[in-house]
Amino acid sequence: MIKKTTEIKSTSYTEVYYDIETTETGKFLSLGWTTDDYVFRHVDSFTQFLYEVIELTKPRLWAHNGWRFDHLFFLHELYTHFSVVDGTFQNGKVTFLTLVHTPSGKKLTLSDSFNLFQTSLSNVC
């Protein structure tokens, strides 16, 4: 993990926007996290970081088209340590999924901004 700025501050709720970059063949390159400019070179280091973050805050992780791509990279790892406690579905698609960390009881919510604007981010910006 490469840390660029300040330490995470303890808050009640944090919106986090992230994006995963891969090669054309799907090989993981990096994961960028906008809150505090973190860059992770491995999915495992990101999931380990999430365990630390949920101790300080209640993060809601946003990824554009997350349920078709970004969230899937670490969802299996999360299922080994988290349980699903709530979900919101729209037109048969997941919009929000709230997980609880089994040992600590802390919550984490995965969200997909594609449900808010159904176009590429380059068209929005």
Side-chain angles (χ1 to χ4, degrees):
M1 175 181 68
I2 302 167
K3 185 168 182 279
K4 293 184 180 176
T5 59
T6 61
E7 294 294 324
I8 292 179
K9 307 289 187 287
S10 179
T11 60
S12 61
Y13 201 76
T14 302
E15 301 287 334
V16 175
Y17 307 93
Y18 78 97
D19 187 39
I20 291 179
E21 298 299 326
T22 62
T23 63
E24 289 180 11
T25 60
K27 182 178 183 246
F28 180 84
L29 289 176
S30 67
L31 184 147
W33 156 292
T34 59
T35 307
D36 292 333
D37 296 325
Y38 286 85
V39 177
F40 300 88
R41 299 291 179 214
H42 304 284
V43 174
D44 293 344
S45 58
F46 178 66
T47 54
Q48 187 61 39
F49 181 69
L50 285 178
Y51 299 140
E52 297 171 21
V53 169
I54 64 170
E55 293 301 319
L56 299 173
T57 183
K58 297 175 190 168
R60 181 188 302 251
L61 275 64
W62 288 89
H64 196 66
N65 213 11
W67 292 115
R68 300 193 92 190
F69 188 74
D70 301 88
H71 295 332
L72 303 179
F73 271 87
F74 60 89
L75 198 55
H76 180 268
E77 170 67 21
L78 291 179
Y79 277 143
T80 61
H81 300 284
F82 288 77
S83 300
V84 176
V85 293
D86 192 18
T88 304
F89 298 84
Q90 182 179 24
N91 299 325
K93 296 180 182 177
V94 178
T95 54
F96 299 103
L97 188 67
T98 300
L99 306 164
V100 64
H101 187 236
T102 308
S104 70
K106 303 286 185 168
K107 291 183 180 177
L108 166 72
T109 300
L110 302 176
S111 308
D112 191 342
S113 60
F114 190 79
N115 295 306
L116 302 176
F117 35 91
Q118 297 181 353
T119 187
S120 70
L121 290 178
S122 61
N123 290 337
V124 174
C125 298

Coordinates of all heavy atoms in Angstrom, one line a residue, residues 81-112:
H81 N -15.4 -13.0 6.5 CA -15.4 -12.3 7.8 C -16.6 -11.4 8.1 O -16.7 -10.8 9.2 CB -14.1 -11.4 7.9 CG -12.9 -12.2 7.7 ND1 -12.3 -13.0 8.7 CD2 -12.0 -12.4 6.7 CE1 -11.3 -13.6 8.3 NE2 -11.0 -13.2 7.0
F82 N -17.5 -11.3 7.1 CA -18.7 -10.5 7.3 C -19.9 -11.3 7.0 O -19.9 -12.2 6.2 CB -18.6 -9.3 6.3 CG -17.6 -8.2 6.6 CD1 -16.3 -8.4 6.4 CD2 -18.0 -7.0 7.2 CE1 -15.4 -7.4 6.6 CE2 -17.1 -6.0 7.5 CZ -15.8 -6.2 7.2
S83 N -21.1 -10.8 7.5 CA -22.4 -11.4 7.2 C -23.2 -10.3 6.6 O -23.2 -9.1 7.0 CB -23.0 -11.9 8.4 OG -22.3 -12.9 9.0
V84 N -24.1 -10.7 5.6 CA -25.0 -9.7 5.0 C -26.1 -9.5 6.0 O -26.7 -10.4 6.6 CB -25.6 -10.2 3.7 CG1 -26.6 -9.3 3.2 CG2 -24.5 -10.5 2.7
V85 N -26.4 -8.2 6.3 CA -27.5 -7.8 7.3 C -28.6 -7.1 6.6 O -29.7 -7.0 7.1 CB -27.0 -7.1 8.5 CG1 -26.1 -8.0 9.4 CG2 -26.3 -5.8 8.1
D86 N -28.3 -6.4 5.5 CA -29.4 -5.7 4.8 C -29.0 -5.5 3.3 O -27.8 -5.4 3.0 CB -29.5 -4.3 5.5 CG -30.8 -3.5 5.0 OD1 -31.7 -4.2 4.4 OD2 -30.8 -2.3 5.2
G87 N -30.0 -5.4 2.5 CA -29.7 -5.1 1.1 C -30.9 -4.4 0.5 O -32.0 -4.6 0.9
T88 N -30.6 -3.6 -0.5 CA -31.6 -2.9 -1.3 C -31.5 -3.3 -2.7 O -30.4 -3.2 -3.3 CB -31.4 -1.3 -1.1 OG1 -31.4 -1.0 0.3 CG2 -32.6 -0.6 -1.8
F89 N -32.6 -3.7 -3.3 CA -32.6 -4.1 -4.7 C -33.5 -3.3 -5.5 O -34.6 -2.8 -5.0 CB -33.0 -5.6 -4.8 CG -32.1 -6.5 -4.0 CD1 -32.2 -6.7 -2.7 CD2 -31.1 -7.2 -4.7 CE1 -31.4 -7.6 -2.0 CE2 -30.2 -8.0 -4.0 CZ -30.4 -8.2 -2.7
Q90 N -33.1 -3.0 -6.7 CA -34.0 -2.2 -7.6 C -33.9 -2.9 -9.0 O -32.8 -3.1 -9.5 CB -33.4 -0.8 -7.7 CG -34.2 0.2 -8.6 CD -33.7 1.6 -8.6 OE1 -32.5 1.8 -8.3 NE2 -34.5 2.5 -8.8
N91 N -35.1 -3.2 -9.5 CA -35.1 -3.9 -10.8 C -34.3 -5.1 -10.9 O -33.6 -5.4 -11.9 CB -34.8 -2.9 -12.0 CG -35.7 -1.7 -12.1 OD1 -36.9 -1.8 -11.8 ND2 -35.1 -0.6 -12.4
G92 N -34.3 -5.9 -9.8 CA -33.5 -7.1 -9.7 C -32.0 -6.9 -9.5 O -31.2 -7.9 -9.6
K93 N -31.5 -5.7 -9.3 CA -30.1 -5.4 -9.2 C -29.8 -4.9 -7.8 O -30.7 -4.2 -7.2 CB -29.6 -4.4 -10.2 CG -29.7 -4.9 -11.6 CD -29.3 -3.8 -12.5 CE -29.4 -4.3 -14.0 NZ -29.0 -3.2 -14.9
V94 N -28.7 -5.2 -7.2 CA -28.3 -4.8 -5.9 C -27.9 -3.3 -6.0 O -27.2 -2.9 -6.9 CB -27.1 -5.5 -5.4 CG1 -26.6 -5.0 -4.0 CG2 -27.3 -7.0 -5.3
T95 N -28.5 -2.4 -5.1 CA -28.1 -1.0 -5.1 C -27.2 -0.8 -3.9 O -26.2 -0.1 -4.0 CB -29.3 -0.1 -5.1 OG1 -30.1 -0.5 -4.0 CG2 -30.0 -0.1 -6.4
F96 N -27.6 -1.3 -2.7 CA -26.8 -1.2 -1.5 C -26.7 -2.6 -0.8 O -27.7 -3.3 -0.8 CB -27.4 -0.2 -0.5 CG -27.5 1.2 -1.0 CD1 -28.7 1.7 -1.4 CD2 -26.4 2.0 -1.1 CE1 -28.8 3.0 -1.9 CE2 -26.5 3.3 -1.5 CZ -27.7 3.8 -2.0
L97 N -25.6 -2.9 -0.2 CA -25.5 -4.2 0.5 C -24.7 -3.8 1.8 O -23.6 -3.3 1.8 CB -24.7 -5.2 -0.3 CG -24.7 -6.6 0.3 CD1 -26.1 -7.2 0.3 CD2 -23.8 -7.5 -0.5
T98 N -25.4 -4.0 3.0 CA -24.7 -3.7 4.2 C -24.3 -5.1 4.9 O -25.0 -6.0 5.0 CB -25.7 -3.0 5.2 OG1 -26.1 -1.8 4.6 CG2 -25.0 -2.7 6.5
L99 N -23.0 -5.1 5.2 CA -22.4 -6.2 5.8 C -22.0 -5.9 7.3 O -21.6 -4.8 7.6 CB -21.1 -6.6 5.0 CG -21.3 -6.8 3.5 CD1 -20.0 -6.8 2.8 CD2 -22.0 -8.1 3.3
V100 N -22.0 -6.9 8.1 CA -21.5 -6.7 9.5 C -20.3 -7.6 9.7 O -20.3 -8.8 9.3 CB -22.6 -6.9 10.5 CG1 -23.0 -8.4 10.5 CG2 -22.1 -6.5 11.9
H101 N -19.2 -7.0 10.3 CA -18.0 -7.8 10.6 C -18.3 -8.7 11.7 O -18.7 -8.2 12.8 CB -16.9 -6.8 10.9 CG -15.5 -7.4 11.1 ND1 -14.8 -7.3 12.2 CD2 -14.8 -8.2 10.2 CE1 -13.7 -7.9 12.1 NE2 -13.6 -8.5 10.9
T102 N -18.2 -10.0 11.5 CA -18.6 -11.0 12.5 C -18.0 -10.8 13.9 O -18.7 -10.7 14.9 CB -18.4 -12.4 11.9 OG1 -19.0 -12.5 10.7 CG2 -19.1 -13.4 12.8
P103 N -16.7 -10.7 14.0 CA -16.1 -10.6 15.3 C -16.4 -9.3 16.1 O -16.7 -9.3 17.3 CB -14.6 -10.7 15.1 CG -14.4 -11.3 13.7 CD -15.7 -10.9 13.0
S104 N -16.4 -8.1 15.3 CA -16.6 -6.8 16.0 C -18.0 -6.3 16.0 O -18.3 -5.4 16.8 CB -15.6 -5.8 15.4 OG -16.1 -5.5 14.1
G105 N -18.8 -6.7 15.1 CA -20.2 -6.1 14.9 C -20.2 -4.8 14.2 O -21.2 -4.2 14.0
K106 N -19.1 -4.4 13.6 CA -19.0 -3.1 12.9 C -19.6 -3.3 11.5 O -19.5 -4.4 10.9 CB -17.6 -2.6 12.8 CG -16.9 -2.4 14.1 CD -17.3 -1.2 14.8 CE -16.5 -1.0 16.0 NZ -16.7 0.3 16.6
K107 N -20.2 -2.3 10.9 CA -20.8 -2.4 9.6 C -20.1 -1.7 8.5 O -19.3 -0.7 8.7 CB -22.2 -1.8 9.7 CG -23.2 -2.6 10.6 CD -24.6 -2.0 10.6 CE -25.4 -2.9 11.5 NZ -26.8 -2.3 11.6
L108 N -20.3 -2.2 7.3 CA -19.7 -1.7 6.1 C -20.8 -1.8 5.0 O -21.5 -2.8 4.9 CB -18.5 -2.6 5.7 CG -17.9 -2.5 4.3 CD1 -17.2 -1.2 4.2 CD2 -17.0 -3.7 4.1
T109 N -21.0 -0.8 4.2 CA -22.0 -0.8 3.1 C -21.3 -0.6 1.8 O -20.5 0.3 1.6 CB -23.0 0.4 3.3 OG1 -23.6 0.2 4.6 CG2 -24.0 0.4 2.3
L110 N -21.7 -1.5 0.9 CA -21.2 -1.4 -0.5 C -22.3 -0.8 -1.4 O -23.4 -1.2 -1.3 CB -20.8 -2.8 -1.0 CG -19.8 -3.6 -0.3 CD1 -19.6 -5.0 -0.8 CD2 -18.5 -2.9 -0.2
S111 N -21.9 0.2 -2.2 CA -22.9 0.9 -3.0 C -22.4 1.0 -4.4 O -21.2 0.9 -4.7 CB -23.1 2.3 -2.5 OG -23.4 2.2 -1.1
D112 N -23.3 1.1 -5.4 CA -23.0 1.2 -6.8 C -23.5 2.5 -7.4 O -24.7 2.7 -7.5 CB -23.5 0.0 -7.5 CG -23.0 -0.2 -8.9 OD1 -22.5 0.8 -9.5 OD2 -23.1 -1.3 -9.5

